[in-house]
Amino acid sequence: MKPQLALPVTLVALFTFTVPAFGLGHELGQSKEELGLKYNFKATEHESGRVSVQLTVQDMGKLKELQSIQLVVPSDDGTGYFDLVVTLETTKSAGEVHARAHMSGALAKRAAIRLVTNVNPNDGRKYRRSWYYHNIEVKKHIKK
């Protein structure tokens, strides 16, 4: 084979024979109490119309290992897509995990905070291509 064709042929073969693998997320149907979760969640609406949220997780219960805490905002067009998904920065102190976010009131009314793990709480097994999450709806907690 000519050297000029080696790279294009290799790239075509690579893209033809590889299959992308995406993880599959599962929302947990159990309540906070059923999962053994212990957390405090506050959502405060300010005079500006913006909303600050604060989450303090004391015990992950059946979720075991916390992979991330996400702020998610589903699209309001009914497609099932998301307008925003972002992993929040967390800090740890005294065995607790803390996360904060600040957003517009319009986003907050659609937003949720997700506690994400790749350990199945039903059987305790860790899966590489699946993840599980518990949603905390922001609008249910907004106080002025």
Side-chain angles (χ1 to χ4, degrees):
M1 181 179 300
K2 293 183 179 182
Q4 297 89 350
L5 293 176
L7 182 61
V9 169
T10 303
L11 290 176
V12 168
L14 179 67
F15 289 116
T16 303
F17 298 112
T18 58
V19 177
F22 299 103
L24 183 59
H26 305 280
E27 181 174 5
L28 298 169
Q30 295 100 324
S31 69
K32 171 184 174 179
E33 293 76 23
E34 291 171 325
L35 290 170
L37 289 169
K38 292 183 183 165
Y39 60 78
N40 293 323
F41 184 75
K42 289 189 338 184
T44 306
E45 184 174 10
H46 305 285
E47 290 179 16
S48 65
R50 298 218 172 263
V51 175
S52 295
V53 295
Q54 294 180 328
L55 173 68
T56 302
V57 181
Q58 293 93 13
D59 187 353
M60 286 302 297
K62 291 182 181 178
L63 295 190
K64 309 253 189 223
E65 298 174 30
L66 182 64
Q67 187 175 359
S68 65
I69 297 176
Q70 298 176 339
L71 170 65
V72 298
V73 180
S75 175
D76 59 359
D77 60 8
T79 60
Y81 292 108
F82 286 85
D83 286 340
L84 178 68
V85 177
V86 63
T87 300
L88 298 177
E89 180 182 2
T90 59
T91 57
K92 294 181 182 181
S93 67
E96 298 178 336
V97 178
H98 304 272
R100 299 183 313 177
H102 189 72
M103 69 200 87
S104 72
L107 285 180
K109 289 177 182 149
R110 295 186 285 141
I113 299 293
R114 277 186 181 169
L115 302 176
V116 181
T117 183
N118 60 355
V119 176
N120 184 331
N122 299 318
D123 63 14
R125 293 179 52 199
K126 186 182 263 189
Y127 295 92
R128 291 190 322 218
R129 293 193 185 118
S130 294
W131 46 279
Y132 306 88
Y133 62 92
H134 172 73
N135 264 351
I136 305 168
E137 288 187 48
V138 173
K139 71 180 177 182
K140 291 182 178 180
H141 298 273
I142 297 176
K143 294 187 174 134
K144 294 192 181 228

